[in-house]
Amino acid sequence: MTETTPSAAWQALIDHRRALRRSSLAGLFAADPQRFTRLSLVWDDWLSDWSKQRLTPATMALLVAYARARNLPAWIEALFGGEKINVTEQRAALHTALRQQGDTPVLQDGSDVLPAIRATQARMRTLAAQLRGGVRLGATGRPIRDIVHIGIGGSDLGPRLVCSALTGPRASRREGIEVTFVSNVDPEQLTRALAGLDPATTLFIVTSKTFTTMETLRNATSAREWLATQLGGGGALAAHFIAVTGNAAAARAFGVAGADVLPMWDWVGGRFSLWSAAGLAIAVRCGWESFAELLAGAATMDAHFRDAPLPRNLPVLLALVDFWNAQAPSANQRVVVPYAHALSRLPSYLQQLVLESNGKSVTRDGSPVDQPTAPGLWGEPGTDSQHAFFQWLHQGTHAVPVEFVVPVRAAHPLADQQTLLVANALAQAQALFAGKPLAVVRAELAASGMDPAAIDLNAPHRVCPGNRPSTTLLLPELNARRLGPLLALYEHRTFVEGVLAGINSFDQWGVELGKALAGSLQAALRDGTEPGPADQSTLGLLAHARALSRRG
Ligand code: F6P
């Protein structure tokens, strides 16, 4: 499939952007009474509205044509069909097989991956039941009460997001088992996690596809030492470890019992792995039924993505909007604001999913990309963020696209407070769009009795320019059944954005360089050895850090 930008479809988009340049969002709404209906989509009982984006139905048609010119339907089939679309590592990206509901064979290198998936799910189900039921015992014969999940990147962010999203007010601490996540090599995180835990009743799930990741191995080693100081070393400690990895030999060498090593397959990318045994912590914390619901929900989005025509396909349409925004001259950022405390971890999860996938500068065949790829992505939950960066969104000099993710109903009994939350999400999108013009500000100040000189001084500070783009995603509520499709939606959308840019979304070579340099700098810091060749600034920082650590 071609890697070069399809020139006719691309040129049509460039011409169209030029034609739209002077249009305001208000003008676009005024020109089309059907605009909301034409630039929104109901999927299941969700509503996704991108009518407040700076584009028109004609833009969407041109974008769909561009996607076709990029062979998007064939790429979607290649994804589901297990083709080795991760070309630099010669791997498939078969995360969809992990949540497939039936047993239709999914072939990888000529064999069906479903039997291994089902066997692993059965093992996860048993382990979750044993841990939740207090049947799994530690080395001293006491039941396990606390889990510490050790992993980083894709081996942390997805399971952590899901656990925090689904551990709602109805999950009583007494009923289940507590799960704490440790990812950072900063020893502060592990120390805090272990404070107050009893080694005799604590189990560690070490999750690492490679089992070579520095942060995970250091934390797992420190955890083993912590256990050994109170339980004694040796084989008994195996009762306190489960490993999830593609490198079973290394996990066994670390001291995990063979039966407690669950697989990660090379046809699932790390940042797409929460649906695999990497999600064991979810099954333990929330119960196997919730995990199964998560998978079943994601499968509904998979079916939609695979089958819906491009102009009615939610992940495709939202990716086209992202792609359109990313090509705008000043658009190098994207803000995601979940109006749900339960989704507090969504922005960090998306940072890895989107930026590790699409933060690339070369196309699949290695030639430089000729268009911007993924803009930076950040966000925080609403309404907290309204009291932090929304000032910048409303009156700053950058018009950055914002995405509001809003579960409408809540499981808790504070229904009126929930209404306030949802109203705030809608209000912010409206305010970004409509703004507050000078004439309105002046009239309000005059009506308040302010004198004309004070009005002249104050009015400009109160003007909100508006005309700022946003997308709003309304979903009925947040539970495992709804969270599954939400995450699958973002996965597929990220994949489509990669296809539109002609890049491989499934490798991450950029993170390797810093890892290699950290090794030689650690030796230089700890042992005073010469670092490898380094610039003046790095050498200066190293010398000062050495001096500070000697003083401590
Ligand atoms: O950040 C780089 C990365 O390779 C991610 O892609 C991956 O999710 C993470 O490190 C952890 O890797 P592993 O699961 O092998 O420990």
Side-chain angles (χ1 to χ4, degrees), residues 142 253 268 444:
R142 290 170 59 199
V268 178
E444 278 182 8

Side-chain angles (χ1 to χ4, degrees), residues 152-155 208-210 213 216 270-271 352 356 508 511 515:
I152 196 165
S155 293
S208 173
K209 187 171 166 185
T210 55
T213 302
T216 301
R271 51 191 171 274
Q352 194 209 17
E356 201 167 86
Q508 59 284 321
V511 298
K515 287 187 196 171

Side-chain angles (χ1 to χ4, degrees), residues 18-216:
R18 208 169 292 130
L20 266 187
R21 208 174 36 205
R22 297 199 191 287
S23 313
S24 68
L25 286 175
L28 294 173
F29 270 99
D32 182 359
Q34 298 303 314
R35 180 175 167 84
F36 166 71
T37 323
R38 298 168 79 192
L39 295 174
S40 60
L41 186 79
V42 174
W43 173 81
D44 198 1
D45 48 2
W46 304 25
L47 172 69
S48 188
D49 168 29
W50 60 96
S51 62
K52 293 195 188 82
Q53 293 285 353
R54 197 182 308 281
L55 43 69
T56 66
T59 320
M60 297 307 290
L62 289 171
L63 286 164
V64 167
Y66 181 77
R68 289 214 171 91
R70 277 286 191 192
N71 289 318
L72 178 59
W75 282 108
I76 294 174
E77 266 321 293
L79 173 84
F80 282 94
E83 282 181 39
K84 296 197 166 144
I85 56 177
N86 176 357
V87 285
T88 62
E89 296 176 301
Q90 273 306 298
R91 289 177 183 166
L94 259 180
H95 40 283
T96 50
L98 298 168
R99 54 227 190 186
Q100 183 178 300
Q101 296 298 291
D103 280 331
T104 309
V106 178
L107 298 182
Q108 188 53 209
D109 292 327
S111 36
D112 182 12
V113 297
L114 258 296
I117 292 174
R118 296 287 175 257
T120 302
Q121 288 172 343
R123 183 79 191 115
M124 289 171 71
R125 185 178 187 157
T126 305
L127 281 169
Q130 288 173 342
L131 285 161
R132 288 167 66 82
V135 177
R136 167 106 182 200
L137 306 179
T140 64
R142 290 170 59 199
I144 297 299
R145 298 299 317 151
D146 285 278
I147 299 282
V148 180
H149 174 107
I150 297 179
I152 196 165
S155 293
D156 166 75
L157 291 161
R160 193 197 286 239
L161 160 66
V162 176
C163 281
S164 94
L166 299 184
T167 308
R170 285 181 301 182
S172 138
R173 195 187 159 135
R174 262 169 222 286
E175 267 171 32
I177 195 158
E178 203 50 53
V179 179
T180 309
F181 286 83
V182 172
S183 53
N184 201 327
V185 78
D186 180 350
E188 183 72 20
Q189 195 185 17
L190 180 67
T191 309
R192 288 186 189 198
L194 298 184
L197 295 188
D198 181 348
T201 58
T202 300
L203 179 138
F204 296 88
I205 303 179
V206 184
T207 304
S208 173
K209 187 171 166 185
T210 55
F211 224 79
T212 58
T213 302
M214 173 271 293
E215 292 90 340
T216 301

Side-chain angles (χ1 to χ4, degrees), residues 508-529:
Q508 59 284 321
W509 295 106
V511 298
E512 296 304 321
L513 174 61
K515 287 187 196 171
L517 293 175
S520 82
L521 287 170
Q522 187 203 10
L525 263 174
R526 188 187 51 202
D527 313 325
T529 55

